[in-house]
Amino acid sequence: MEQVLTYVGYIFVVIGAIFLFLGGLGIVRLPDIYCRLQAGTKASTLGAMSLILGVGFLQPQWMIKALIIIVFIALSNPLSSHALARGSYRHKIRPWTKEDIDAYAQYIKEQGENEAAEEDKQQEKQES
Amino acid sequence: MQSKSLASKPVRFLYSWIVFFIVWLAFTSTLALPEVITGAVVALILAAFSYETFTGWGFKGIKLSNLWWSFVYVINFLWLMVKANFNVARIVVTPSLPINPGIVEFETKLTNEYAKMVLANSITLTPGTFTVDVVDNRYYIHWLDVTVTDPEEVYKEIAEPFERILLKIFN
Amino acid sequence: MGITIHLIDYIVLGIISVALLLDFYRFTRGPLASDRVMATDTMTVSTTALLVFLGYLFDRYIYLDIALIYAVLGFIGVIVIARYLEGGV
């Protein structure tokens, strides 16, 4: 039984390590920040989750703590990559595209126009 | 939905206290008396500060059917996540880098804030897509390999498998 | 009792090290601040996994707590910098 758990654990650990490596590779190869966020943070998330689960199998009495770390990574990583993507976009970093597909630019533009219009209104009020 | 069925304040306070206390117990993973008492006090302080924003429903959200659908959701989500991860891994190791990135939008049918948060996080965790912003019920998604741009099609492609189950949990 | 490290452990450690080096390459090359933050984030996640694995190799339970705290701190750091980039802090 223990033998089986060890084998299962090492399978998870090796898969996790490989995904961590693929995440690193994606970060180096992909062309811009948004694509890198895709490959980088998420392949790493799966890699880390799988590796920690594997350690949980190797040391069954650590399983609860390992699961807590997995849940924390699963909850926190999408938040940080989302915050980073939004921050970058608001920082006026445009995504690299082949066919110029960018629905968000439209929204940002409209919002900018609305804000400008409101500022104009306020100025008019102040002047009158 | 969440605004009209708010639980009363003491119930929400108790609910947050219990959740924080369970988190404390899980983090320390011990039942030694000093630890447990410290945890109870810390959870009490935290709950006093944050119960108003922490929960709206209180215990009403915990139903057997919800637990079952959450379980189904987690399994479904893990399967999609692993599948999508292999997809991205394939893209990364292919020498020619077959990507066509872009930002697309779609509209969700969900009305509940928690449900929207869960959907956004799920989309982010399945590689190939992640949520750049959520405005009301419009989602802006950065997609590594865009195949369709029409919002309806995008909705079917990305959000449908998650939302089908989320609608059962939250509505 | 001594610590026994098998060949497979060395292989896993090697793969993780290469992953960290790749992240570090992106961290040094940039070119944007966001790229560096993202590289740091990825390194944090990889390091969390590495700490847990080292904990298993050395048979020390405390490494799991360290990994958890490390993940929490890295997460907060990334959120703060992202908010700063957005212009809201």
Side-chain angles (χ1 to χ4, degrees), chain C residues 15-48:
Chain C
I15 298 176
I16 299 176
S17 311
V18 174
L20 280 170
L21 278 178
L22 289 171
D23 298 344
F24 191 68
Y25 172 81
R26 181 50 67 197
F27 177 75
T28 50
R29 290 300 296 270
L32 301 165
S34 319
D35 288 301
R36 295 180 210 272
V37 180
M38 188 246 332
T40 319
D41 189 30
T42 315
M43 276 162 90
T44 310
V45 175
S46 309
T47 314
T48 310

Side-chain angles (χ1 to χ4, degrees), chain A residues 29 42 65 68 98 103-104, chain B residues 26-27 92 95 99 103 124 133:
Chain A
R29 287 198 65 201
K42 278 167 291 176
K65 198 87 178 197
I68 290 168
K98 264 184 194 159
Y104 195 50
Chain B
F27 267 44
V92 168
I99 56 169
I103 296 182
T124 304
D133 205 352

Side-chain angles (χ1 to χ4, degrees), chain A residues 8-125:
Chain A
V8 173
Y10 266 113
I11 289 172
F12 273 107
V13 166
V14 170
I15 290 175
I18 290 173
F19 267 102
L20 283 179
F21 167 73
L22 287 174
L25 197 66
I27 280 192
V28 171
R29 287 198 65 201
L30 287 168
D32 81 331
I33 167 77
Y34 301 98
C35 300
R36 284 177 204 147
L37 270 174
Q38 300 268 15
T41 52
K42 278 167 291 176
S44 312
T45 309
L46 185 77
M49 282 162 75
S50 165
L51 206 154
I52 295 169
L53 189 69
V55 171
F57 277 119
L58 291 172
Q59 285 277 27
Q61 68 269 37
W62 292 7
M63 197 51 150
I64 296 173
K65 198 87 178 197
L67 284 179
I68 290 168
I69 300 179
I70 288 175
V71 169
F72 180 78
I73 290 180
L75 286 181
S76 73
N77 232 36
L79 281 180
S80 60
S81 64
H82 158 71
L84 201 54
R86 208 169 91 130
S88 310
Y89 210 102
R90 295 283 167 97
H91 204 59
K92 300 195 171 52
I93 299 163
R94 292 288 169 261
W96 179 92
T97 50
K98 264 184 194 159
E99 296 170 11
D100 200 27
I101 305 159
D102 193 348
Y104 195 50
Q106 188 69 26
Y107 166 72
I108 292 277
K109 210 176 134 197
E110 278 168 20
Q111 204 191 28
E113 278 167 8
N114 284 348
E115 276 172 16
E118 266 178 32
E119 273 176 22
D120 285 349
K121 266 185 201 166
Q122 280 180 352
Q123 273 188 350
E124 276 171 25
K125 266 186 194 171

Side-chain angles (χ1 to χ4, degrees), chain B residues 27-41:
Chain B
F27 267 44
T28 53
S29 35
T30 167
L31 283 175
L33 194 62
E35 291 272 5
V36 173
I37 292 173
T38 319
V41 173

